[in-house]
Amino acid sequence: METLSIILLCVFIPVTVLLSICLLCIHSYWKRKWKSITKENDIEAKGDIKIGNQSKENVKHTLRFQGRLEDAQRGPSHQDPTFVADEKLGGRKKKQKVEESKLFEFDPPIGNKNLGNTCFFNSSLQALYFTKFFEDALSLLKVSAPNFQNLKLTKSVLELLEKKNVNHTQELRSVLNAVRNINNQFGRGTQEDSYELLNTLLGGILDELQNGDRTCKPIDVDSGVNGISLKNLFTGIFITIYVYDSCNDVEVDFEEFTTLSIPIADNIDQNFKKLPHRGLQTISSEDPRFDIEKGLAVLTQIEDYEESDLPCRVCNIEGTGKAYRRMLVFTPPPVLVIHIDRFKMNDFNRLTKNAQRLKYPRIFNMAKFCSVANTELSTNSLNYELYAVVVHSGALGGGHYYAYVNTTRMHDVEKWQEHLKRSPLDLEKLKSNVEEFLRKRHEFQDDSGQTEVCKVKDSWFYVSDESVCSASVDEVISHKDAYILFYEVH
């Protein structure tokens, strides 16, 4: 009996231990399995993407400003173009990781104190506050330009941008004084033209960078640090084409521009498609639909002369046919500023205002105003989105300027990089190559395309000096007193 008990104990104990071990293993396995299933469900609920054994979260990537400067010094190869900054990029922008487009979100605008009839000044500044990469370009110049402290206007504008979220009246006054040093009509306590102020401010900054000071070399405005060139941000290139019947010669000239001033056009020449020479052709031959497109059509229309009045400057032969001239956009800038020319002198030599309401789109395509001579352009790269409007309300004597700004836009990284990293052009070499290209006989082409629809919800604000409130896109589009329109590559 004792022997049997010993045998049973010897068998029972190992079996019990073995079963316990098996149960523990099974319990551990199902516990791990349950955690894995729960984790996968959580990932799917958050909208994450499963890649192999890793999950890729749709999160913001924070890149500190100092780190961005270090990347700029190491070179563009160290930067990841798929990630964007959440720390003071170009003002007050917050960005989000997406595939090719990124969401730009600015903080709501802060008003500017009126320093005495300075609404013309404040309204243009609001548009610049919400211009992508404007502050970035100045900030990067600050650390790269040895003579930055001597650039009075550029330095004062950057100081204003850096303090615009707090009490910035002193910085505002410093910018106005710096502009007045360039043109003394500003800052005298009188109401002035907002468009002229904008041209003076932008032109003054570019001149300072180009000329430098007497002790330092000029700053290369064409090759911005980290690919952000202040010049490339606003500067486009016109091409003027001359075509001659008798000799079939083609001649071109180039000229830079930072803004486009268009007339209020009631009627346009409907024969603009009947081109006597391919050299005068645009990328798209779509009809202008909106009023500002009609104004651009007038600006870029074909002019014809008798060859006896405009002889060929290539072969110096005075022909008997027609000479044609057309000015088109050769290289559009990423920021396109369009001025509606409302103020004209009447027959009595008095300045008057044309208060006609003009229709302008939220998004439009510049292809119908760009020359085919630039073979690097295509219709799908020329969509522009409205992001700010400067308004002049009232009559000439007692009018008022204010602005509308959009704080939420999409950002196409590839398109902006193409513009901002554009290399300086050798215009003489380009002139020769373009003339040779346009002299060749080619079939007419039409790269027409549909304008893209804005895919992000608007966040528009009305800003009148220190007064700020939200606005609807319907209130902004086709405003009856729109004066300056700010578009950016969409």
Side-chain angles (χ1 to χ4, degrees):
M1 191 66 181
E2 291 180 355
T3 304
L4 180 62
S5 299
I6 293 172
I7 293 172
L8 289 173
L9 285 173
C10 290
V11 173
F12 179 77
I13 291 173
V15 170
T16 303
V17 172
L18 182 61
L19 287 173
S20 299
I21 293 173
C22 291
L23 288 173
L24 286 173
C25 291
I26 292 170
H27 174 74
S28 177
Y29 168 80
W30 282 108
K31 184 177 181 180
R32 290 197 305 270
K33 184 68 174 177
W34 176 254
K35 286 185 176 179
S36 176
I37 293 172
T38 304
K39 184 177 180 181
E40 288 182 9
N41 289 338
D42 287 343
I43 289 174
E44 290 177 1
K46 293 177 182 177
D48 292 346
I49 303 170
K50 198 70 176 167
I51 303 176
N53 294 323
Q54 297 178 344
S55 66
K56 181 182 177 183
E57 298 181 2
N58 184 19
V59 297
K60 293 182 179 179
H61 177 80
T62 302
L63 179 65
R64 304 299 296 179
F65 184 68
Q66 182 61 38
R68 186 161 54 90
L69 293 182
E70 292 173 358
D71 284 342
Q73 294 168 357
R74 288 195 297 267
S77 61
H78 295 272
Q79 301 170 50
D80 183 355
T82 64
F83 287 91
V84 287
D86 187 34
E87 176 73 13
K88 291 288 183 181
L89 256 181
R92 298 158 289 175
K93 296 189 272 293
K94 303 171 185 175
K95 300 183 185 177
Q96 188 176 8
K97 188 180 186 307
V98 232
E99 288 298 325
E100 294 181 355
S101 296
K102 298 172 173 44
L103 183 66
F104 260 60
E105 290 182 299
F106 294 79
D107 288 339
I110 303 296
N112 292 331
K113 183 178 179 61
N114 193 309
L115 305 177
N117 285 323
T118 56
C119 59
F120 71 95
F121 173 63
N122 291 340
S123 55
S124 288
L125 284 179
Q126 287 295 341
L128 293 178
Y129 290 164
F130 293 91
T131 296
K132 294 176 185 176
F133 301 117
F134 181 55
E135 183 179 345
D136 290 272
L138 297 179
S139 297
L140 293 167
L141 280 169
K142 181 179 180 179
V143 299
S144 65
N147 60 329
F148 185 83
Q149 296 301 317
N150 298 328
L151 308 177
K152 295 182 179 179
L153 177 58
T154 308
K155 179 174 175 288
S156 64
V157 171
L158 178 58
E159 289 174 348
L160 173 62
L161 291 169
E162 291 174 337
K163 283 196 68 176
K164 61 182 176 293
N165 289 339
V166 294
N167 186 357
H168 57 272
T169 302
Q170 183 57 47
E171 287 74 20
L172 197 66
R173 196 179 301 277
S174 296
V175 174
L176 187 59
N177 289 336
V179 172
R180 187 179 182 182
N181 289 335
I182 300 173
N183 187 337
N184 61 13
Q185 79 181 59
F186 300 116
R188 300 177 302 180
T190 57
Q191 182 67 279
E192 303 296 340
D193 189 285
S194 187
Y195 176 63
E196 189 171 352
L197 177 281
L198 181 67
N199 275 331
T200 302
L201 192 149
L202 292 178
I205 292 176
L206 292 176
D207 286 344
E208 279 188 343
L209 301 183
Q210 184 67 51
N211 298 328
D213 66 57
R214 296 180 181 178
T215 60
C216 298
K217 294 181 179 180
I219 300 167
D220 185 359
V221 296
D222 290 302
S223 56
V225 181
N226 200 23
I228 303 175
S229 165
L230 188 68
K231 182 177 180 181
N232 285 355
L233 195 61
F234 292 98
T235 305
I237 299 176
F238 278 132
I239 180 173
T240 303
I241 309 105
Y242 298 87
V243 175
Y244 304 92
D245 269 348
S246 298
C247 56
N248 201 40
D249 276 332
V250 178
E251 184 183 13
V252 301
D253 288 324
F254 292 99
E255 180 184 2
E256 293 182 340
F257 68 89
T258 53
T259 60
L260 294 178
S261 184
I262 63 171
I264 296 176
D266 294 322
N267 298 302
I268 59 173
D269 184 4
Q270 296 297 325
N271 294 321
F272 70 95
K273 290 185 181 180
K274 299 179 180 178
L275 304 176
H277 192 280
R278 179 183 179 274
L280 305 173
Q281 187 184 358
T282 55
I283 295 174
S284 169
S285 60
E286 285 185 314
D287 294 339
R289 293 186 298 156
F290 297 92
D291 290 324
I292 66 158
E293 291 183 329
K294 293 176 182 178
L296 287 167
V298 172
L299 183 67
T300 59
Q301 67 185 348
I302 299 174
E303 302 171 287
D304 62 88
Y305 307 86
E306 298 297 329
E307 285 188 328
S308 56
D309 297 326
L310 188 65
C312 178
R313 295 183 293 178
V314 179
C315 63
N316 294 319
I317 296 176
E318 184 176 318
T320 57
K322 290 281 188 180
Y324 302 93
R325 177 185 180 275
R326 190 177 195 185
M327 183 179 72
L328 294 168
V329 175
F330 184 80
T331 304
V335 176
L336 183 67
V337 181
I338 299 177
H339 163 243
I340 300 171
D341 191 4
R342 291 191 177 277
F343 304 119
K344 293 288 186 181
M345 301 298 291
N346 62 14
D347 295 337
F348 302 99
N349 204 31
R350 296 182 61 182
L351 192 63
T352 60
K353 176 184 175 181
N354 187 335
Q356 179 178 333
R357 182 191 295 271
L358 299 184
K359 291 183 180 180
Y360 48 91
R362 173 73 187 277
I363 296 177
F364 84 108
N365 193 281
M366 276 289 290
K368 56 180 76 73
F369 312 109
C370 294
S371 172
V372 292
N374 191 342
T375 56
E376 296 182 0
L377 297 179
S378 62
T379 299
N380 60 6
S381 67
L382 294 171
N383 285 318
Y384 280 80
E385 178 185 358
L386 185 73
Y387 74 92
V389 179
V390 171
V391 172
H392 177 271
S393 64
L396 287 173
H400 177 61
Y401 287 98
Y402 54 89
Y404 290 99
V405 293
N406 181 18
T407 62
T408 306
R409 289 111 70 180
M410 294 302 293
H411 175 63
D412 190 306
V413 179
E414 184 178 352
K415 288 182 183 179
W416 277 80
Q417 286 181 346
E418 288 177 1
H419 285 280
L420 293 177
K421 295 183 178 180
R422 191 174 67 230
S423 301
L425 296 176
D426 183 342
L427 295 184
E428 285 302 316
K429 183 177 180 181
L430 181 64
K431 172 181 166 69
S432 176
N433 292 340
V434 168
E435 287 176 347
E436 181 179 358
F437 171 76
L438 293 181
R439 287 191 189 109
K440 296 178 180 179
R441 291 288 185 178
H442 295 278
E443 294 296 324
F444 284 86
Q445 298 177 355
D446 181 10
D447 189 16
S448 301
Q450 296 294 324
T451 300
E452 293 183 19
V453 178
C454 185
K455 300 175 183 178
V456 64
K457 186 178 179 180
D458 309 85
S459 295
W460 285 94
F461 288 86
Y462 162 90
V463 190
S464 176
D465 292 331
E466 293 182 276
S467 177
V468 179
C469 63
S470 61
S472 68
V473 67
D474 293 334
E475 182 182 347
V476 177
I477 293 297
S478 301
H479 194 287
K480 68 182 185 66
D481 288 312
Y483 187 51
I484 310 174
L485 308 175
F486 292 79
Y487 284 88
E488 65 188 12
V489 168
H490 178 60

